Every structure is written in C-alpha cells, then in structure tokens.
Amino acid sequence: MIKNDYYKMYAQQIEKIRSVIGKPLTLTEKILYAHLYDRQDLKAYARGEDYANFRPDRVAMQDATAQMALLQFMISGKKESAVPASVHCDHLIQAWLGADEDLQTATVTNREVYDFLKSACDKYGLVFWKPGAGIIHQTVLENYAFPGGMMIGTDSHTPNAGGLAMLAIGVGGADAVDVMTGMEWELKMPRITGVKLTGKLSGWASPKDVILKLAGLLTVKGGTNAVIEYFGEGARHISATGKATICNMGAEVGATSSIFPYDDEMKLYLQATGRSHLAEQADAVKDDLKADSEVTANPANYYDRLLEINLSELEPYVNGPFTPDAATPISRLSGKVKKMGYPDKVEVSLIGSCTNSSYEDLDRVASLANQVREKDLPIRAQLIVNPGSRMIEQTETVKILKNSGAIVMANACGPCIGQWKRVTADPARPNTIVNSFNRNFARRADGNPNTHSFVASPEITMALAIAGSLSFNPLKDKLQNRKGAWVSLDPPSGNKLPPGGFPDVEKGFILPTGKTGQVTVAPDSQRLQLLQPFPAWNGKDFTDMPLLIKVKGKCTTDHISMAGEWLRFRGHLENISGNLLMGAVNAFNDKTNLVLNRGNHTCDTVSAVAGYYKSKAIPSIIVAEDNYGEGSSREHAAMEPRFLNVKAILAKSFARIHETNLKKQGMLAVTFCNPEDYDRIREDDTVSITGLTVFAPQKPLSVTLTHADGTTDSFEVNHTFNSVQIGWFKAGSALNANN
C-alpha cells in the first residue's frame, strides 16, 4: 500500500519541479523528478545523456529471477527490504496437462526453490505469492500498481503497470538489490517518445494492435533508452488492462518503460479491484497525473520523437515469425504467407501470458467461442489458455472457453517463456503457432527452431484457431461449418470488467512475519547455490584474450541463457552457466554451440570452451552484433560469462537492460566505434583491450587483434560507463562496490 499522504506530497513536489525546471512537463518527467533519490538533486537533466539516482516505491520479482536477486540480497548484510517488495511464483510451472495437474507437479518438482523463496520473503519482509496465484504483471496491476508511482521489477515486462499510470521499469536482480537495500537506483534520464492516439477502436481492432503496429514502426531497438508516453483522445477509450497490454509489449521495442495518463478507465479498474480509496486520492490530483496541457497542445516541442496512430483506421496485425517487430496488417498476411513459404496450417493457438490475460481479453475471446457453438463451427487448431490470476480464472468467461474445448492451463507464464511441454511426433519439423504473447523468438515457446511463432491479439489468435489457417482474414473471409454452409465470424465483443464484479477468491499470497531464522541452502543442492563475490579488477589491461565466440545476427537473452528446461537452475550459477550462448550462431561455421578451443585446437560447446579457459586462468572475450542482449531482464545472461571468466563483451550495440546488467556484474561492455571493425575479427584471434588503467567516462578504449599469422589490427571502441559504473567495474561488481 502507499502512504496516506502520498498524493498530497506528490502534488507539492510537482509544483516545485515545474518551478525549478521552468517549463511544462510530460507525465514521465513528473514521475521521474518526483522520485529523485535526493530532492536536493532537482535540476534539469539532459535526456539520453545525464544519469540520475532514483527512489522507486516498490520492487516486484518473479520466481525465476527472484532466486538470484535474493541470493545477492543475502550477502548485502541487510535485515529487511527498505521498500515494499513481492515475489510471484509464475515462471517455474510447466504447461502440459492442465491447471490442476501441472500445479501439483510444479509444487513437488520445485519445492526446494519455493521453500527457499518463501522463507527468504518471510525473513526479509517480502510478500510471497504462491504458485497458481497469478502471473506477476497481472497480479501487480490488480493489487499494487497505482497512478503516479514508480516501481522496478526483475522482468522486462514490468512496464505493464503503465496501464495504471505507474512508471514501471524492468531491471536485473542487482538493481532490485540496490533498491531493497535502500541505496540509490541509477538510470540514464530517458528520452521520451510521444504517441498520440486519435479515434476509437472498433470491430476486430484491439489494444494489442496499437503496439504491434508500433513495433513495426520502431523495430526492436527503436525505443532503447526512451519512455513511450501515450496521450490523446484515443487513449481515453482504452481500458486500463488494454493500456497495460500496450505498455507491457513496449519492452519489445527496447523501451525503458511505457505509460498512459490517468483517466476514468483507470478509476473504474481501481474501483473494480477494491481500491476505491486510491481512485479518490488520484482524482484529487488528476491534472498532475498527465502531461501538462501545453505539452499535449504542442507535443512536438516537448517529446524527443512524436508518432500518431488513428485508432479508427487501425486494422489487426500479426507479427512474426521469429521477431516481434515483423509487423503485417492482416489484410496483407495471406500474401506474405505465400511469398515466404510459411506453413499455413495453424496447429496451436495460445491465449494469455502477462500481456493478454485480462478479463476483457478473455471475454472477447469467449464471444468468439460462443459463435463457434451458435454457427456450428469446429475449432481446427489446439487452443490453450493461460488466465492471468485467480480472480480471472474463476469467472464464467473462462468456463465458456473450457467448454469450447480449450485447455486451461495454470495462472502462469507457461509457453510464453518456454515452459511448455509440447507433445508432437516430430519436435523439429516446420510448423506454425499463433499466440497473444509478447515474444516469438526462435525456440522460445517449445524449443523447436522451426516453429514459426506469430504474435497477434487474443481475438485474432482465436479466429486463426477456428480457421486453422494463417491466411484466414476474419474481416472478410468466410468459413464452412459442419453443415456445409459458409458463415462469417462477427467482430468480437466483451466487457472490460465483470458485470457482477470479480469473484471473491483467496488471492494466494503470504504476508511476512519476520519469524524465519536462517535461510539455508543445501551444499549439494542442484537447484540453489550460495553466491561468492566476484573478484575485483586487478588493475591491468585485458591482454591476449582468446575469442570465445563471434556471434552472428540476433542474440537475445534467450540465445545467451535459454529458458525452458534451464529455468530449474536459475538459483544455481554454476549449473546454469552450462547453457552459455548455446543458442547463438557462430559467425565462422553458422552453427550453434560449437566454437574453437584455442588451447587444444578442438571444437566444443561455448560453456565448455569458456570453462577450459577459466581452468587455465585465461580470460576470454565475446564479440556480437546489434542490440546484443535484447529481450528478457535475465541477469543470468550477464552473470554466466562473468562466472566463466569472460572479461568483456564487444558488440555493435546493446539492449538497455542487458548493458546495465553487465556493468552491475563487473563486466566490460564496449561497442565498436566503426561497426565494420566487426568484420576484422578472425576465429583464431587473441584480443587485447587497453586504456583501462586510465578508464574514464567518454574516453574510448583501444582494441588490438593479434591474428594467427602474426599480423595485427587496432581500432578504438566506445563505452557508456560513468564514474560510478567505473567504480563497479573496479570493485568487481556493483554489489561489491556498495558493501
């Protein structure tokens, strides 16, 4: 809960901020400046350049990332979290047979991890949300998010809370530890992209289509180091959960966060979820929970980038395969399917995940399920549904979907993060699935690199399940029913909130008592491992490092540290390091998980070769292309190379969260001044990085390549380290520097 005087103090702060900054403010600026760690630091920060320190209101963690975060918190020496925090068990539940069976299995197989998380929460003052209680971002929206607040979460889709005008930012576990220990949380002051929404959604168009279209406009890195702030008359007609969907998937364009201004839709949602008192308080300061009128009247003068989307003209989009920014309007999809040779048969449609599992989402899907019955249509694809929370699971809407033949899985992430035990005769064959998730990277849902995964709204996902064809356009095409008649699907309809209110259910959380004693980890555990601080920098340049891998093409955190079966090792750094970069493509052989070992002149897995070098006390280096570390907030992708003695990552560019995670773990993250220098690097090179003895902000470092034939190449590389972050590097990690 927030403090009783939160909004009174918030209004006073905004008045002071406006006078000091001396110009009209965007909503993003209001919330950021109101949450500066030290109010004496109030000044006009340069967007995209200056770093600032913040004091978020709360922290949220899901079970897969919470393990490493709490293991780090345990060595901080603190007795309790300095801010309200919660842990949500939604990632480790495998989707297979259905909610009841899968939840029972998860409770047994993950008991050691759940017991650790529960006892750590009790000891350090965190709220523990049990398995089956709901998906983290839906649960946060229903219980914790509030207008004008600021939170961080150890999941890249934390910005979901922007649907309630909260500035919510995805981070790594080390950042969460900073906030829970009461320290400053550092962030580069983001640029602000304004998106003006006009018109009103109708027919088959949904809130999901706003962000699917935007992903095509911005690409997967177009929002990097920026907050996307929506405004305009069109925004007022979108439900709070619809807004949350749009904010959630802003992570797919690299945005720091996304946010909508407070409005009546948010007020209705707060009232429906038992927080009328918050709605009343927010109403009293509603003018400060949106951009100033001068900003919305002349947005080009106040936003770093401005886009406009007319909701009345928006058509449904289907994005993919293999990347969430491959945006295609549904009117052009059949042509793309034929041109690219994608498998046209839709085998599975998956509805839910943290992005689209609200009541409104499922109620609109249920209206299509009712049409299936009324029009005597078969559903030609397998249909799987993951509700967002217990409150949603118990509604009549979910019962309608279950009666239509859908498999209702647990209130968990399931296939969205690779926790799907998909049963198929040939697990490697080319096939097509459609989902209402946020990501569709290769291998992500079912581990099959040949699964063509497409992202769409829940409504379109359901329509394609009914048709069983990716080429079907429900806006104009007809389907043949069981009697041989050709019928059309009517546009979906549904309520934004349950007409009779949400069911009164036991939510599934445990409040801390502080009675837990020592939180123990068995020395021989294969799931959990106590952490040891990483060694400090030795004061010398990095010289003669063998190249571990030169990565070709897209390299997300899924490629660096796969989920799926590896989720069970998220609390065991040594074990999970066995998956290091196993999904990345080696530029020299176009294969995955097969690289040259310079020491014995053989080829082996990436982790094995890194382990070999580590055993010989030889540091190594990773080279990559653009937007390295795109995707999840998964700090394991930074901790694994650190654990295996990789000293540096040299890339054309980094995704925001991953670059910060690398810095927090004492890794050197540098970028090519000239991206073409990537081509100079050979498989059998040794690499030296010099200039570290005079490491300073905005001062390039030098790279020297020594080729096997004795020749050398040299070039400069850039970095974004500030003086504080250089201190992390020298100490060996941010945690070391702060203890």
Side-chain angles (χ1 to χ4, degrees), residues 327-348:
T328 306
I330 198 161
S331 60
R332 301 179 188 172
L333 184 60
S334 62
K336 183 177 180 180
V337 171
K338 292 176 183 176
K339 179 181 178 181
M340 302 303 296
Y342 299 145
D344 184 62
K345 180 182 178 183
V346 176
E347 298 192 11
V348 189

Side-chain angles (χ1 to χ4, degrees), residues 512-562:
T513 66
K515 296 179 180 179
T516 298
Q518 185 68 31
V519 179
T520 59
V521 174
D524 59 348
S525 171
Q526 295 301 301
R527 297 289 301 270
L528 298 163
Q529 182 184 53
L530 294 175
L531 293 176
Q532 297 297 322
F534 289 128
W537 176 56
N538 65 5
K540 300 178 181 179
D541 288 330
F542 293 155
T543 58
D544 301 323
M545 296 180 289
L547 175 69
L548 179 59
I549 183 174
K550 180 179 176 180
V551 178
K552 177 182 178 181
K554 182 186 282 284
C555 192
T556 71
T557 49
D558 276 15
H559 294 87
I560 304 168
S561 177
M562 283 192 177

Side-chain angles (χ1 to χ4, degrees), residues 412-435:
C413 300
C416 187
I417 44 89
Q419 283 285 65
W420 180 21
K421 188 173 181 179
R422 185 180 182 187
V423 179
T424 176
D426 183 358
R429 62 186 169 76
N431 72 99
T432 287
I433 65 173
V434 183
N435 60 70

Side-chain angles (χ1 to χ4, degrees), residues 252-266:
E252 279 23 274
V253 298
T256 299
S257 190
S258 299
I259 193 167
F260 277 82
Y262 177 73
D263 61 16
D264 287 343
E265 290 291 345
M266 297 184 189

Side-chain angles (χ1 to χ4, degrees), residues 6-7 9-11 13-15 17-18 21 23-39 42 45 47 52-58 145-152 159 161-169 185 187 189-190 192 227-230 247 256-262 266 282 285-292:
Y6 183 88
Y7 286 112
M9 297 298 295
Y10 176 80
Q13 286 179 279
I14 300 304
E15 183 177 351
I17 291 164
R18 194 180 287 111
I21 304 303
K23 69 176 183 64
L25 300 172
T26 65
L27 174 59
T28 301
E29 288 174 310
K30 291 179 182 181
I31 298 176
L32 285 172
Y33 283 115
H35 286 84
L36 288 172
Y37 189 83
D38 188 340
R39 294 180 184 175
L42 179 58
Y45 288 85
R47 298 179 192 168
N53 293 321
F54 297 97
R55 191 190 297 270
D57 296 303
R58 68 176 306 114
F146 61 92
M150 182 180 185
M151 67 173 284
I152 64 169
L164 277 178
M166 187 177 207
L167 195 65
I169 301 172
W185 178 62
L187 178 73
M189 190 62 75
I192 307 175
V227 170
I228 301 175
E229 182 172 314
Y230 296 87
C247 291
T256 299
S257 190
S258 299
I259 193 167
F260 277 82
Y262 177 73
M266 297 184 189
V285 295
K286 60 184 178 182
D287 287 343
D288 288 326
L289 295 172
K290 61 183 180 181
D292 287 339

Side-chain angles (χ1 to χ4, degrees), residues 14 20 30 34 52 77 101 153 190 195 220 240 299 355 455 531 534 537 609 611 616 627 697 699 727:
I14 300 304
V20 172
K30 291 179 182 181
E101 299 92 334
V195 178
V220 290
T355 324
V455 179
L531 293 176
F534 289 128
W537 176 56
V609 174
K616 305 293 183 182
N627 211 31
K699 185 176 182 179

Side-chain angles (χ1 to χ4, degrees), residues 568-624:
R568 68 186 188 277
F569 296 134
R570 284 287 180 86
H572 198 295
L573 182 54
E574 183 175 0
N575 282 351
I576 200 169
S577 293
N579 75 3
L580 177 64
L581 284 158
M582 66 185 301
V585 176
N586 182 349
F588 299 109
N589 60 18
D590 286 331
K591 296 181 179 180
T592 57
N593 214 21
L594 190 68
V595 296
L596 175 67
N597 184 329
R598 287 283 306 277
N600 58 24
H601 306 290
T602 63
C603 289
D604 208 336
T605 65
V606 180
S607 61
V609 174
Y612 174 90
Y613 292 147
K614 178 181 179 179
S615 70
K616 305 293 183 182
I618 300 171
S620 59
I621 182 172
I622 294 165
V623 173

